[in-house]
Amino acid sequence: MRVRRLKWAEEFLGSAEVVVQSPQDIKGNWNTYMNRECIHLEIGSGKGDYWIKMSDMYPDIGWIGMERNESVAAYAVKKSEEAKENRKFIQNEAMHLLDYFDKEIDAIHLNFSDPWPKKRTTKRRLSHGNFTSIYKQILKDDGELHMKTDNSALFEYSVVNILKEGFSIEELCVDFRRETHDEDAISEYEQKFMNKGNPIYRAVFKKVKEEN
Ligand SMILES: C[S@@+](CC[C@H](N)C(=O)[O-])C[C@H]1O[C@@H](n2cnc3c(N)ncnc32)[C@H](O)[C@@H]1O
């Protein structure tokens, strides 16, 4: 997602209530911090549409949005308007997840991640093994990874890769919006692809328990 650099972003993010300024201090205590038994994390929240809508739809779940781009994150946080107990935001790169979380996340969402189509940029995909090995360490034992995209090549790559990385597949759909799914929010991003008539691919994976 490309946006113009916002001069006000750094200062704004540094004082916004919804932004967790020192997530490393909460490691191991997110349930208590958010006062919720169940915690979901969206990685690559972009301008925050999915994170905001889902946290409004599911108030009993703690929703953490994460975005590495400062200006994009500032848009997301500004859009969230009010701070809600079940909505928090981390502005940083997903490679730092292990500094912030123990095995305490119930579900991770990759909603319309950047496809990085060139072979030399494969490692940047959020479904690459460098990331999924981290996801396994911050997910609870039966934790889930939810993925949605309009990009068939990214979807194929991700399904094969995520299954290799120690997840099982629970749900798979190659035209998710063929039927109505009121339980899942449609971000502006997704709506744009739906308007073009693109099928939406979706899969839900479950972490396979490691043998001791
Ligand atoms: C296409 S946008 C996401 C749209 C949003 N999830 C939605 O559904 O509306 C992808 C976002 O992922 C962010 N991103 C990509 N790699 C990331 C990483 N390693 N850590 C954190 N954010 C990342 C990008 O900066 C970009 O804003």
Side-chain angles (χ1 to χ4, degrees):
M1 182 172 289
R2 287 207 183 140
V3 293
R4 204 165 39 89
R5 193 176 162 273
L6 302 176
K7 285 193 190 129
W8 49 269
E10 187 182 354
E11 200 183 333
F12 173 70
L13 290 171
S15 60
E17 211 183 314
V18 72
V19 178
V20 185
Q21 304 296 342
S22 303
Q24 62 278 9
D25 295 346
I26 301 158
K27 184 172 176 174
N29 292 306
W30 284 92
N31 291 102
T32 312
Y33 178 71
M34 296 195 78
N35 196 22
R36 298 290 184 282
E37 274 179 28
C38 182
I39 306 286
H40 285 215
L41 167 71
E42 189 201 359
I43 304 173
S45 298
K47 290 184 179 170
D49 227 28
Y50 190 70
W51 162 67
I52 293 168
K53 285 182 178 166
M54 291 297 270
S55 54
D56 282 340
M57 281 163 65
Y58 297 96
D60 293 340
I61 296 176
W63 287 87
I64 304 166
M66 183 180 211
E67 169 57 52
R68 70 172 171 194
N69 181 297
E70 191 175 73
S71 299
V72 176
Y75 275 120
V77 170
K78 204 166 177 37
K79 203 190 276 177
S80 119
E81 287 171 355
E82 46 179 324
K84 286 201 175 173
E85 193 184 51
N86 77 320
R87 190 148 79 203
K88 292 290 172 197
F89 201 85
I90 298 174
Q91 191 259 307
N92 216 327
E93 156 63 52
M95 273 296 167
H96 298 299
L97 283 168
L98 283 176
D99 296 335
Y100 306 153
F101 300 102
D102 242 328
K103 228 164 108 182
E104 55 193 326
I105 301 295
D106 292 271
I108 291 175
H109 296 258
L110 303 179
N111 207 50
F112 295 86
S113 302
D114 296 326
W116 296 111
K118 294 193 179 127
K119 205 161 182 185
R120 66 182 163 81
T121 56
T122 312
K123 280 189 175 166
R124 296 187 199 167
R125 294 180 191 160
L126 286 171
S127 49
H128 185 274
N130 288 351
F131 288 106
T132 50
S133 59
I134 294 176
Y135 303 159
K136 266 168 49 188
Q137 296 176 68
I138 65 167
L139 281 170
K140 290 180 185 166
D141 270 345
D142 53 357
E144 291 183 344
L145 178 56
H146 294 225
M147 166 177 200
K148 238 183 336 155
T149 180
D150 71 306
N151 188 300
S152 56
L154 177 69
F155 191 67
E156 284 172 14
Y157 167 87
S158 303
V159 170
V160 171
N161 201 55
I162 292 168
L163 290 179
K164 270 193 209 157
E165 293 291 336
F167 288 82
S168 60
I169 197 149
E170 300 289 303
E171 292 174 38
L172 186 137
C173 192
V174 292
D175 193 359
F176 185 58
R177 298 297 176 190
R178 183 177 43 205
E179 285 162 21
T180 309
H181 284 284
D182 289 335
E183 78 285 3
D184 184 70
I186 300 174
S187 68
E188 281 171 24
Y189 221 79
E190 177 166 4
Q191 189 62 58
K192 204 173 70 184
F193 296 121
M194 287 168 66
N195 292 348
K196 284 190 202 164
N198 296 8
I200 304 299
Y201 303 87
R202 178 177 181 268
V204 177
F205 307 88
K206 201 178 255 273
K207 183 172 131 175
V208 174
K209 260 204 187 120
E210 276 142 10
E211 305 282 327
N212 290 323

